[in-house]
Amino acid sequence: MMPRGLRVWAAAPQNATVVAVMALRKFMSKIAKPVEQVDREKLAAFCGGIGAVPIATIEPRDYVRTAGEVGVVRIVPRAGAPALEVMVQDGTHLLTAVFLGRRRIKGLTNGRKVAVEGMVLRDGNRLLMLNPIYELF
């Protein structure tokens, strides 16, 4: 009579092999992907997790809630008054959130995840959102 541990191990080598092969494939796919692609996928998963609309699907004159990562923050004068422009990217496209009359917003820095909500406008090739409601993550 075999000990119980040997019988279980002897009966499961095929299942263990399948699991090991699947784990190896998953590991190799993570290693083979460029870092930028992995970052885009993580960002898209974050945006989808909070129910944000992908920026690539937004049309002008839509009132939407979208999210992404802050790429660039800059102050641009508009009609003689300061305006804070924040580039938000979600891995699919880019949206510029414009805060009129502001020079800075605490916590809104490069690399920070943010959700913005408002009316979207088109300015040339850029999508703009003026004075959006925002939420920092």
Side-chain angles (χ1 to χ4, degrees):
M1 183 167 193
M2 277 194 205
R4 183 173 237 178
L6 288 177
R7 194 175 328 152
V8 171
W9 183 79
Q14 289 179 340
N15 291 341
T17 304
V18 170
V19 170
V21 168
M22 289 174 56
L24 182 61
R25 282 186 186 159
K26 185 175 180 181
F27 177 71
M28 290 302 292
S29 69
K30 283 184 181 179
I31 289 177
K33 286 183 186 176
V35 175
E36 293 83 16
Q37 183 180 355
V38 173
D39 289 343
R40 280 193 303 266
E41 289 173 359
K42 285 182 182 179
L43 192 55
F46 164 75
C47 294
I50 64 169
V53 176
I55 295 173
T57 63
I58 296 174
E59 293 293 325
R61 296 184 169 217
D62 283 348
Y63 187 89
V64 295
R65 175 182 165 88
T66 189
E69 188 174 74
V70 175
V72 176
V73 179
R74 64 183 182 170
I75 300 171
V76 177
R78 288 182 180 261
L84 184 70
E85 287 191 356
V86 179
M87 311 285 185
V88 179
Q89 54 192 358
D90 69 346
T92 64
H93 211 332
L94 187 72
L95 176 117
T96 304
V98 180
F99 298 91
L100 300 170
R102 307 285 297 263
R103 291 189 183 276
R104 68 183 177 89
I105 296 175
K106 281 191 172 187
L108 206 54
T109 57
N110 294 347
R112 185 81 186 253
K113 290 186 174 69
V114 64
V116 291
E117 181 177 345
M119 182 73 67
V120 178
L121 309 169
R122 182 168 297 281
D123 180 33
N125 291 332
R126 298 188 320 163
L127 290 175
L128 296 179
M129 192 178 283
L130 298 177
N131 289 328
I133 300 168
Y134 66 93
E135 182 180 355
L136 299 173
F137 293 96

